[in-house]
Amino acid sequence: MSEATLKAIARNIIAPCAPDERPLLVWHGGEPMTVPAGWYDTAFSVLERESGGLPIRHAFQTNAIGVNSQWIDLWQKWRVNLGVSLDGPEDLHASRRRTRRGGGTHGLVMRGVSRLQAAEMPFHVISVLTAESLSRADDIYDFFVENDLRNVAFNVEEEEGQAEGSSLSGSDQIAEDYAGFLKQILRRSADDPQPFFCREIEGVKGLLAAPHDQRSDNWQVTPCRIVTIGVDGGMSTFSPELIGAKAPEFDDFVFGNVRDGGVQQMLANEAFRKTHLGIRQGVAACAAECRYFEICGGGAPANKYFELGRFDGTETMPSRPGFSATRNREGVAMSDQDHQIDTPETETPKDNLTDNSGAKPKEDPAPEPDGNGFWAGIRAFLAWIFNPVIPGLILVGMIALRVF
């Protein structure tokens, strides 16, 4: 990403924020650590300077293979929200996450984890569940506890435009197995003398505490609440994964360029309007047909497009009973002290937004607790922040940036 694009992001997206807002920038595009740590230090300074000094939050999700003192210094200096992608015991992790030459990465990831722990750098773990993982709840729990990893989020392996598909699709048993997995994690954590933070379990607590009329709020179906900016400045919205898709009928989901102005330009884009229409129709169909609508709010547009080939459909794999009750916004773990983020990464990228499993886990930002109502009850779960960029017009909660 060029300095000119960074300056445009600062001036056209960040600077319009109100003085008391703290925009969240999620850095992704394959493995974010492929770019040197020094590049980020410069980029962060440019963004802060060109936006008028507005406080900005940054987030990384990484495989941790390249962790060294330079990266730790960067993250600590800028107070970056950090997540590590780790799928549990070595055999489970190695089945999906390998180097380009086919080698295992588990040992390299654990080396990075050890360095983070030695530096007392806070982080959470994102673990992707496959069909095999669902029968290994005890092994997975024991692995994390034995390695002092007690802030964990479980993403289900999803189908998003990849030929290999998801190991969790095509079986009616999977939802039951998934529920059984989480029940066992709940049992183990309840018996554990030390706290074990699991996003999915905390999410159910939040849903139970939330008023019914506030459960179906879904940022992925609302224009400009999530803004994704590509390496060349191309802008998109709705599900962040869409900007990486080849979809000529929707202009590859690029609805404008940040160098030409702010988010308003997207609203007049014909491809945006076509996309938005399909998404609205899909949400309406979900509301009319599905008893779980207040849990998923119409689901993720990316899931619908990649699984069904359209936006006006309804049920997708993550929204089926058994999955949807704990994946309302497909958020990531967040403790009371640390806001946590999940963004895409891979050791062996098939494209810049694909996990090495070939079926992408969902990655979205964590909630910003505001101390009242719905968010007070769900502060440790749903993947959203609420930052008005243009008061009364458009709300931008997350800015997802691709740097290469």
Side-chain angles (χ1 to χ4, degrees), residues 322-339:
F323 287 109
S324 58
T326 57
R327 289 182 55 73
N328 187 353
R329 298 297 175 270
E330 299 183 346
V332 249
M334 177 183 129
S335 67
D336 287 345
Q337 294 78 29
D338 301 298
H339 307 303

mmCIF file with all atom_site columns, all heavy atoms in Angstrom, residues 322-339:
data_model
loop_
_atom_site.group_PDB
_atom_site.id
_atom_site.type_symbol
_atom_site.label_atom_id
_atom_site.label_alt_id
_atom_site.label_comp_id
_atom_site.label_asym_id
_atom_site.label_entity_id
_atom_site.label_seq_id
_atom_site.pdbx_PDB_ins_code
_atom_site.Cartn_x
_atom_site.Cartn_y
_atom_site.Cartn_z
_atom_site.occupancy
_atom_site.B_iso_or_equiv
_atom_site.pdbx_formal_charge
_atom_site.auth_seq_id
_atom_site.auth_comp_id
_atom_site.auth_asym_id
_atom_site.auth_atom_id
_atom_site.pdbx_PDB_model_num
ATOM 1   N N   . GLY A 1 322 ? -27.492 -24.840 15.612 1.00 0.00 ? 322 GLY A N   1
ATOM 2   C CA  . GLY A 1 322 ? -26.320 -25.510 16.158 1.00 0.00 ? 322 GLY A CA  1
ATOM 3   C C   . GLY A 1 322 ? -25.082 -24.679 15.946 1.00 0.00 ? 322 GLY A C   1
ATOM 4   O O   . GLY A 1 322 ? -24.200 -24.642 16.796 1.00 0.00 ? 322 GLY A O   1
ATOM 5   N N   . PHE A 1 323 ? -25.000 -24.003 14.808 1.00 0.00 ? 323 PHE A N   1
ATOM 6   C CA  . PHE A 1 323 ? -23.914 -23.073 14.561 1.00 0.00 ? 323 PHE A CA  1
ATOM 7   C C   . PHE A 1 323 ? -24.319 -21.660 14.939 1.00 0.00 ? 323 PHE A C   1
ATOM 8   O O   . PHE A 1 323 ? -23.599 -20.959 15.635 1.00 0.00 ? 323 PHE A O   1
ATOM 9   C CB  . PHE A 1 323 ? -23.513 -23.091 13.077 1.00 0.00 ? 323 PHE A CB  1
ATOM 10  C CG  . PHE A 1 323 ? -22.770 -24.329 12.675 1.00 0.00 ? 323 PHE A CG  1
ATOM 11  C CD1 . PHE A 1 323 ? -23.382 -25.283 11.868 1.00 0.00 ? 323 PHE A CD1 1
ATOM 12  C CD2 . PHE A 1 323 ? -21.475 -24.535 13.086 1.00 0.00 ? 323 PHE A CD2 1
ATOM 13  C CE1 . PHE A 1 323 ? -22.706 -26.415 11.479 1.00 0.00 ? 323 PHE A CE1 1
ATOM 14  C CE2 . PHE A 1 323 ? -20.787 -25.671 12.699 1.00 0.00 ? 323 PHE A CE2 1
ATOM 15  C CZ  . PHE A 1 323 ? -21.396 -26.621 11.894 1.00 0.00 ? 323 PHE A CZ  1
ATOM 16  N N   . SER A 1 324 ? -25.503 -21.230 14.495 1.00 0.00 ? 324 SER A N   1
ATOM 17  C CA  . SER A 1 324 ? -25.853 -19.819 14.587 1.00 0.00 ? 324 SER A CA  1
ATOM 18  C C   . SER A 1 324 ? -25.996 -19.329 16.018 1.00 0.00 ? 324 SER A C   1
ATOM 19  O O   . SER A 1 324 ? -25.767 -18.159 16.288 1.00 0.00 ? 324 SER A O   1
ATOM 20  C CB  . SER A 1 324 ? -27.163 -19.552 13.834 1.00 0.00 ? 324 SER A CB  1
ATOM 21  O OG  . SER A 1 324 ? -28.212 -20.344 14.358 1.00 0.00 ? 324 SER A OG  1
ATOM 22  N N   . ALA A 1 325 ? -26.352 -20.192 16.933 1.00 0.00 ? 325 ALA A N   1
ATOM 23  C CA  . ALA A 1 325 ? -26.578 -19.730 18.307 1.00 0.00 ? 325 ALA A CA  1
ATOM 24  C C   . ALA A 1 325 ? -25.331 -19.172 18.946 1.00 0.00 ? 325 ALA A C   1
ATOM 25  O O   . ALA A 1 325 ? -25.402 -18.396 19.885 1.00 0.00 ? 325 ALA A O   1
ATOM 26  C CB  . ALA A 1 325 ? -27.114 -20.873 19.164 1.00 0.00 ? 325 ALA A CB  1
ATOM 27  N N   . THR A 1 326 ? -24.164 -19.552 18.438 1.00 0.00 ? 326 THR A N   1
ATOM 28  C CA  . THR A 1 326 ? -22.929 -19.034 19.025 1.00 0.00 ? 326 THR A CA  1
ATOM 29  C C   . THR A 1 326 ? -22.109 -18.249 18.033 1.00 0.00 ? 326 THR A C   1
ATOM 30  O O   . THR A 1 326 ? -20.989 -17.886 18.309 1.00 0.00 ? 326 THR A O   1
ATOM 31  C CB  . THR A 1 326 ? -22.063 -20.183 19.568 1.00 0.00 ? 326 THR A CB  1
ATOM 32  O OG1 . THR A 1 326 ? -21.797 -21.101 18.498 1.00 0.00 ? 326 THR A OG1 1
ATOM 33  C CG2 . THR A 1 326 ? -22.751 -20.885 20.697 1.00 0.00 ? 326 THR A CG2 1
ATOM 34  N N   . ARG A 1 327 ? -22.691 -17.941 16.853 1.00 0.00 ? 327 ARG A N   1
ATOM 35  C CA  . ARG A 1 327 ? -21.916 -17.238 15.842 1.00 0.00 ? 327 ARG A CA  1
ATOM 36  C C   . ARG A 1 327 ? -22.686 -16.043 15.286 1.00 0.00 ? 327 ARG A C   1
ATOM 37  O O   . ARG A 1 327 ? -22.615 -15.737 14.103 1.00 0.00 ? 327 ARG A O   1
ATOM 38  C CB  . ARG A 1 327 ? -21.548 -18.200 14.710 1.00 0.00 ? 327 ARG A CB  1
ATOM 39  C CG  . ARG A 1 327 ? -20.521 -19.211 15.148 1.00 0.00 ? 327 ARG A CG  1
ATOM 40  C CD  . ARG A 1 327 ? -20.133 -20.117 14.023 1.00 0.00 ? 327 ARG A CD  1
ATOM 41  N NE  . ARG A 1 327 ? -19.682 -19.398 12.855 1.00 0.00 ? 327 ARG A NE  1
ATOM 42  C CZ  . ARG A 1 327 ? -18.522 -18.783 12.745 1.00 0.00 ? 327 ARG A CZ  1
ATOM 43  N NH1 . ARG A 1 327 ? -17.694 -18.764 13.760 1.00 0.00 ? 327 ARG A NH1 1
ATOM 44  N NH2 . ARG A 1 327 ? -18.177 -18.171 11.639 1.00 0.00 ? 327 ARG A NH2 1
ATOM 45  N N   . ASN A 1 328 ? -23.400 -15.361 16.172 1.00 0.00 ? 328 ASN A N   1
ATOM 46  C CA  . ASN A 1 328 ? -24.247 -14.261 15.736 1.00 0.00 ? 328 ASN A CA  1
ATOM 47  C C   . ASN A 1 328 ? -23.525 -13.279 14.822 1.00 0.00 ? 328 ASN A C   1
ATOM 48  O O   . ASN A 1 328 ? -23.989 -12.964 13.754 1.00 0.00 ? 328 ASN A O   1
ATOM 49  C CB  . ASN A 1 328 ? -24.765 -13.524 16.979 1.00 0.00 ? 328 ASN A CB  1
ATOM 50  C CG  . ASN A 1 328 ? -25.780 -12.473 16.627 1.00 0.00 ? 328 ASN A CG  1
ATOM 51  O OD1 . ASN A 1 328 ? -26.027 -12.188 15.482 1.00 0.00 ? 328 ASN A OD1 1
ATOM 52  N ND2 . ASN A 1 328 ? -26.372 -11.899 17.661 1.00 0.00 ? 328 ASN A ND2 1
ATOM 53  N N   . ARG A 1 329 ? -22.389 -12.775 15.202 1.00 0.00 ? 329 ARG A N   1
ATOM 54  C CA  . ARG A 1 329 ? -21.672 -11.835 14.357 1.00 0.00 ? 329 ARG A CA  1
ATOM 55  C C   . ARG A 1 329 ? -20.293 -12.353 13.993 1.00 0.00 ? 329 ARG A C   1
ATOM 56  O O   . ARG A 1 329 ? -19.457 -11.637 13.538 1.00 0.00 ? 329 ARG A O   1
ATOM 57  C CB  . ARG A 1 329 ? -21.535 -10.480 15.048 1.00 0.00 ? 329 ARG A CB  1
ATOM 58  C CG  . ARG A 1 329 ? -22.878 -9.836  15.327 1.00 0.00 ? 329 ARG A CG  1
ATOM 59  C CD  . ARG A 1 329 ? -23.644 -9.531  14.048 1.00 0.00 ? 329 ARG A CD  1
ATOM 60  N NE  . ARG A 1 329 ? -24.965 -9.031  14.361 1.00 0.00 ? 329 ARG A NE  1
ATOM 61  C CZ  . ARG A 1 329 ? -26.011 -9.805  14.504 1.00 0.00 ? 329 ARG A CZ  1
ATOM 62  N NH1 . ARG A 1 329 ? -25.923 -11.101 14.363 1.00 0.00 ? 329 ARG A NH1 1
ATOM 63  N NH2 . ARG A 1 329 ? -27.183 -9.281  14.791 1.00 0.00 ? 329 ARG A NH2 1
ATOM 64  N N   . GLU A 1 330 ? -20.079 -13.646 14.255 1.00 0.00 ? 330 GLU A N   1
ATOM 65  C CA  . GLU A 1 330 ? -18.814 -14.282 13.947 1.00 0.00 ? 330 GLU A CA  1
ATOM 66  C C   . GLU A 1 330 ? -17.659 -13.445 14.468 1.00 0.00 ? 330 GLU A C   1
ATOM 67  O O   . GLU A 1 330 ? -16.684 -13.149 13.803 1.00 0.00 ? 330 GLU A O   1
ATOM 68  C CB  . GLU A 1 330 ? -18.675 -14.508 12.439 1.00 0.00 ? 330 GLU A CB  1
ATOM 69  C CG  . GLU A 1 330 ? -19.785 -15.424 11.953 1.00 0.00 ? 330 GLU A CG  1
ATOM 70  C CD  . GLU A 1 330 ? -19.679 -15.746 10.499 1.00 0.00 ? 330 GLU A CD  1
ATOM 71  O OE1 . GLU A 1 330 ? -18.921 -15.077 9.794  1.00 0.00 ? 330 GLU A OE1 1
ATOM 72  O OE2 . GLU A 1 330 ? -20.332 -16.690 10.076 1.00 0.00 ? 330 GLU A OE2 1
ATOM 73  N N   . GLY A 1 331 ? -17.787 -13.042 15.717 1.00 0.00 ? 331 GLY A N   1
ATOM 74  C CA  . GLY A 1 331 ? -16.803 -12.171 16.315 1.00 0.00 ? 331 GLY A CA  1
ATOM 75  C C   . GLY A 1 331 ? -15.624 -12.932 16.864 1.00 0.00 ? 331 GLY A C   1
ATOM 76  O O   . GLY A 1 331 ? -15.471 -14.117 16.676 1.00 0.00 ? 331 GLY A O   1
ATOM 77  N N   . VAL A 1 332 ? -14.764 -12.218 17.559 1.00 0.00 ? 332 VAL A N   1
ATOM 78  C CA  . VAL A 1 332 ? -13.602 -12.835 18.138 1.00 0.00 ? 332 VAL A CA  1
ATOM 79  C C   . VAL A 1 332 ? -13.492 -12.497 19.603 1.00 0.00 ? 332 VAL A C   1
ATOM 80  O O   . VAL A 1 332 ? -14.176 -11.632 20.101 1.00 0.00 ? 332 VAL A O   1
ATOM 81  C CB  . VAL A 1 332 ? -12.314 -12.388 17.429 1.00 0.00 ? 332 VAL A CB  1
ATOM 82  C CG1 . VAL A 1 332 ? -11.730 -13.527 16.674 1.00 0.00 ? 332 VAL A CG1 1
ATOM 83  C CG2 . VAL A 1 332 ? -12.551 -11.228 16.559 1.00 0.00 ? 332 VAL A CG2 1
ATOM 84  N N   . ALA A 1 333 ? -12.620 -13.233 20.286 1.00 0.00 ? 333 ALA A N   1
ATOM 85  C CA  . ALA A 1 333 ? -12.543 -13.110 21.731 1.00 0.00 ? 333 ALA A CA  1
ATOM 86  C C   . ALA A 1 333 ? -12.104 -11.731 22.160 1.00 0.00 ? 333 ALA A C   1
ATOM 87  O O   . ALA A 1 333 ? -11.268 -11.109 21.542 1.00 0.00 ? 333 ALA A O   1
ATOM 88  C CB  . ALA A 1 333 ? -11.560 -14.149 22.269 1.00 0.00 ? 333 ALA A CB  1
ATOM 89  N N   . MET A 1 334 ? -12.681 -11.283 23.257 1.00 0.00 ? 334 MET A N   1
ATOM 90  C CA  . MET A 1 334 ? -12.280 -10.011 23.818 1.00 0.00 ? 334 MET A CA  1
ATOM 91  C C   . MET A 1 334 ? -12.452 -10.068 25.319 1.00 0.00 ? 334 MET A C   1
ATOM 92  O O   . MET A 1 334 ? -13.509 -10.379 25.822 1.00 0.00 ? 334 MET A O   1
ATOM 93  C CB  . MET A 1 334 ? -13.124 -8.882  23.244 1.00 0.00 ? 334 MET A CB  1
ATOM 94  C CG  . MET A 1 334 ? -12.812 -7.540  23.840 1.00 0.00 ? 334 MET A CG  1
ATOM 95  S SD  . MET A 1 334 ? -13.905 -6.310  23.179 1.00 0.00 ? 334 MET A SD  1
ATOM 96  C CE  . MET A 1 334 ? -14.472 -5.597  24.696 1.00 0.00 ? 334 MET A CE  1
ATOM 97  N N   . SER A 1 335 ? -11.379 -9.804  26.047 1.00 0.00 ? 335 SER A N   1
ATOM 98  C CA  . SER A 1 335 ? -11.473 -9.788  27.498 1.00 0.00 ? 335 SER A CA  1
ATOM 99  C C   . SER A 1 335 ? -11.924 -8.401  27.943 1.00 0.00 ? 335 SER A C   1
ATOM 100 O O   . SER A 1 335 ? -12.050 -7.477  27.143 1.00 0.00 ? 335 SER A O   1
ATOM 101 C CB  . SER A 1 335 ? -10.107 -10.102 28.115 1.00 0.00 ? 335 SER A CB  1
ATOM 102 O OG  . SER A 1 335 ? -9.195  -9.057  27.834 1.00 0.00 ? 335 SER A OG  1
ATOM 103 N N   . ASP A 1 336 ? -12.124 -8.243  29.250 1.00 0.00 ? 336 ASP A N   1
ATOM 104 C CA  . ASP A 1 336 ? -12.517 -6.939  29.754 1.00 0.00 ? 336 ASP A CA  1
ATOM 105 C C   . ASP A 1 336 ? -11.409 -5.906  29.568 1.00 0.00 ? 336 ASP A C   1
ATOM 106 O O   . ASP A 1 336 ? -11.657 -4.717  29.521 1.00 0.00 ? 336 ASP A O   1
ATOM 107 C CB  . ASP A 1 336 ? -12.862 -7.043  31.246 1.00 0.00 ? 336 ASP A CB  1
ATOM 108 C CG  . ASP A 1 336 ? -14.190 -7.740  31.449 1.00 0.00 ? 336 ASP A CG  1
ATOM 109 O OD1 . ASP A 1 336 ? -14.956 -7.875  30.487 1.00 0.00 ? 336 ASP A OD1 1
ATOM 110 O OD2 . ASP A 1 336 ? -14.450 -8.156  32.586 1.00 0.00 ? 336 ASP A OD2 1
ATOM 111 N N   . GLN A 1 337 ? -10.164 -6.381  29.474 1.00 0.00 ? 337 GLN A N   1
ATOM 112 C CA  . GLN A 1 337 ? -9.049  -5.466  29.373 1.00 0.00 ? 337 GLN A CA  1
ATOM 113 C C   . GLN A 1 337 ? -8.621  -5.199  27.929 1.00 0.00 ? 337 GLN A C   1
ATOM 114 O O   . GLN A 1 337 ? -8.091  -4.153  27.618 1.00 0.00 ? 337 GLN A O   1
ATOM 115 C CB  . GLN A 1 337 ? -7.827  -6.020  30.133 1.00 0.00 ? 337 GLN A CB  1
ATOM 116 C CG  . GLN A 1 337 ? -8.034  -6.101  31.642 1.00 0.00 ? 337 GLN A CG  1
ATOM 117 C CD  . GLN A 1 337 ? -8.880  -7.287  32.050 1.00 0.00 ? 337 GLN A CD  1
ATOM 118 O OE1 . GLN A 1 337 ? -8.884  -8.307  31.367 1.00 0.00 ? 337 GLN A OE1 1
ATOM 119 N NE2 . GLN A 1 337 ? -9.602  -7.164  33.145 1.00 0.00 ? 337 GLN A NE2 1
ATOM 120 N N   . ASP A 1 338 ? -8.811  -6.161  27.043 1.00 0.00 ? 338 ASP A N   1
ATOM 121 C CA  . ASP A 1 338 ? -8.231  -6.066  25.704 1.00 0.00 ? 338 ASP A CA  1
ATOM 122 C C   . ASP A 1 338 ? -9.275  -6.285  24.629 1.00 0.00 ? 338 ASP A C   1
ATOM 123 O O   . ASP A 1 338 ? -9.971  -7.284  24.628 1.00 0.00 ? 338 ASP A O   1
ATOM 124 C CB  . ASP A 1 338 ? -7.129  -7.120  25.526 1.00 0.00 ? 338 ASP A CB  1
ATOM 125 C CG  . ASP A 1 338 ? -6.025  -6.961  26.547 1.00 0.00 ? 338 ASP A CG  1
ATOM 126 O OD1 . ASP A 1 338 ? -5.379  -5.917  26.540 1.00 0.00 ? 338 ASP A OD1 1
ATOM 127 O OD2 . ASP A 1 338 ? -5.830  -7.900  27.349 1.00 0.00 ? 338 ASP A OD2 1
ATOM 128 N N   . HIS A 1 339 ? -9.340  -5.361  23.680 1.00 0.00 ? 339 HIS A N   1
ATOM 129 C CA  . HIS A 1 339 ? -10.181 -5.543  22.505 1.00 0.00 ? 339 HIS A CA  1
ATOM 130 C C   . HIS A 1 339 ? -9.433  -6.461  21.558 1.00 0.00 ? 339 HIS A C   1
ATOM 131 O O   . HIS A 1 339 ? -8.293  -6.213  21.231 1.00 0.00 ? 339 HIS A O   1
ATOM 132 C CB  . HIS A 1 339 ? -10.457 -4.204  21.835 1.00 0.00 ? 339 HIS A CB  1
ATOM 133 C CG  . HIS A 1 339 ? -11.013 -3.183  22.754 1.00 0.00 ? 339 HIS A CG  1
ATOM 134 N ND1 . HIS A 1 339 ? -12.174 -3.395  23.457 1.00 0.00 ? 339 HIS A ND1 1
ATOM 135 C CD2 . HIS A 1 339 ? -10.559 -1.975  23.132 1.00 0.00 ? 339 HIS A CD2 1
ATOM 136 C CE1 . HIS A 1 339 ? -12.428 -2.335  24.194 1.00 0.00 ? 339 HIS A CE1 1
ATOM 137 N NE2 . HIS A 1 339 ? -11.462 -1.471  24.019 1.00 0.00 ? 339 HIS A NE2 1
#
